[in-house]
Amino acid sequence: QTVVTQEPSFSVSPGGTVTLTCGLTSGSVSTTYYPSWYQQTPGQAPRTLIYSTNTRSSGVPDRFSGSILGNKAALTITGAQADDESDYYCVLYMTPGIWVFGGGTKVTVL
Amino acid sequence: QVQLQESGPGLVKPSETLSLTCTVSGYSISSGYFWGWIRQPPGKGLEWIGSIYHSGSIYYNPSLKSRVTMSVDTSMNQFSLKLSSVTAADTAFYYCARITYATNWFDPWGQGTLVTVSS
């Protein structure tokens, strides 16, 4: 069974840049997996950041960007702010009609 | 503005069936989109449970398929989840969400509801 992998945690300084990745235990992530990214703070429902690899959801600041880096999907936060401290989840679309979430990355801003 | 709201019992006994409903406002379910359920055990990650189209096309997580049933009630603008033979491992926050199938993303999400499995 293919598992979607994410780094368990990352730390970034205020104003710094961090890139989170979303990979597969078997194979490479491409745009055909329609990677999307979600931000979740404690006690809240997930909030959509990026869909279809690199399209920002409405209202999402442009410091969040999505891409494919090598064989993984990536979420980059440029100019990190204190309120970016959250859990970040990617999800990949595995045809036909199956979605698989990564385990999530906890981002600390300090 | 599309909004989703989960409802159902917050406590279910082991071996019984968990039943939840997601009520959609601001959009007619029968107009399109897939509609999905996602869960999150306290302190853990997200898990996709299943997705349903208003016409009845359904996809389930293979790891839960034997215990999951989803349905749509277009007259009430709701969709539902049933999970049978629950154990403590099914204790989780349960979220419903709209899924844009062409680009395969989840938005918006409901606020979530905690279901605890305990005797």
Side-chain angles (χ1 to χ4, degrees):
Chain A
Q1 180 181 348
T2 299
V3 174
V4 177
T5 61
Q6 294 186 248
E7 300 87 357
S9 62
F10 253 119
S11 181
V12 60
S13 300
T17 297
V18 62
T19 297
L20 316 181
T21 67
C22 177
L24 292 169
T25 52
S26 176
S28 300
V29 177
S30 66
T31 57
T32 61
Y33 286 87
Y34 297 93
S36 54
W37 293 88
Y38 304 85
Q39 178 190 50
Q40 188 181 35
T41 53
Q44 300 296 315
R47 166 200 180 199
T48 309
L49 294 177
I50 301 286
Y51 64 93
S52 196
T53 306
N54 56 13
T55 303
R56 269 187 299 275
S57 183
S58 177
V60 173
D62 60 7
R63 65 177 184 274
F64 293 94
S65 61
S67 63
I68 298 292
L69 285 181
N71 62 351
K72 297 181 180 180
L75 174 71
T76 300
I77 309 173
T78 305
Q81 300 183 2
D83 60 3
D84 296 336
E85 189 161 292
S86 303
D87 294 325
Y88 292 83
Y89 293 92
C90 70
V91 61
L92 301 180
Y93 176 66
M94 313 286 203
T95 55
I98 305 295
W99 286 264
V100 180
F101 282 89
T105 298
K106 183 177 183 63
V107 172
T108 303
V109 180
L110 52 72
Chain B
Q1 180 184 1
V2 182
Q3 293 184 312
L4 290 80
Q5 178 68 59
E6 306 87 352
S7 60
L11 181 64
V12 180
K13 289 182 168 55
S15 79
E16 295 189 345
T17 296
L18 176 160
S19 295
L20 294 174
T21 296
C22 182
T23 301
V24 180
S25 59
Y27 187 84
S28 171
I29 283 183
S30 58
S31 294
Y33 289 95
F34 269 80
W35 305 89
W37 288 98
I38 304 98
R39 70 179 183 177
Q40 183 175 38
K44 296 187 178 181
L46 298 166
E47 179 181 36
W48 171 74
I49 299 171
S51 303
I52 187 168
Y53 195 64
H54 69 88
S55 63
S57 295
I58 303 176
Y59 298 102
Y60 294 139
N61 186 324
S63 68
L64 299 170
K65 187 175 184 177
S66 63
R67 298 193 292 130
V68 174
T69 303
M70 293 179 61
S71 60
V72 169
D73 184 342
T74 54
S75 67
M76 296 293 290
N77 219 37
Q78 297 174 333
F79 61 103
S80 299
L81 169 71
K82 292 186 186 298
L83 181 66
S84 64
S85 305
V86 296
T87 69
D90 296 309
T91 294
F93 290 91
Y94 285 78
Y95 297 97
C96 57
R98 187 178 71 173
I99 304 168
T100 302
Y101 193 65
T103 45
N104 298 298
W105 57 299
F106 298 79
D107 190 83
W109 296 63
Q111 66 184 28
T113 188
L114 176 63
V115 178
T116 301
V117 178
S118 175
S119 56

